[in-house]
Amino acid sequence: IAVRDTGCGIPPSQLDRIWEPYVTSKAGGTGLGLAIVRQTILAHEGVVDAASAVGRGTEIRFRLPVARPVAGGDTHHAA
């Protein structure tokens, strides 16, 4: 899943920091949104990343597994 905006973008020097709690450039922002997203995706054995271009916007992408092996060799499928 990818979510993209056409906002001001994030400078390359700051892109790695967007996952840290309390890091924000928005007035009144808490800086918790992407930290919570990352923690949730990783807790479900997924991956999340971001791409951004200053003046063009940002894209947040994540992948979650559809199924994972369970004890006994069976596969548990998501409903």
Side-chain angles (χ1 to χ4, degrees):
I1 295 177
V3 179
R4 182 181 313 153
D5 70 20
T6 55
C8 61
I10 302 166
S13 62
Q14 296 177 7
L15 196 56
D16 286 341
R17 296 198 64 224
I18 65 172
W19 310 111
E20 297 174 21
Y22 309 110
V23 172
T24 185
S25 62
K26 295 180 181 180
T30 63
L32 292 174
L34 289 175
I36 292 169
V37 165
R38 184 173 185 269
Q39 182 180 21
T40 303
I41 296 298
L42 294 178
H44 289 87
E45 300 177 14
V47 294
V48 62
D49 68 355
S52 189
V54 174
R56 296 182 60 199
T58 301
E59 181 176 277
I60 306 295
R61 300 175 296 249
F62 71 89
R63 292 187 308 262
L64 291 168
V66 174
R68 64 178 169 191
V70 294
D74 293 332
T75 301
H76 174 16
H77 295 281

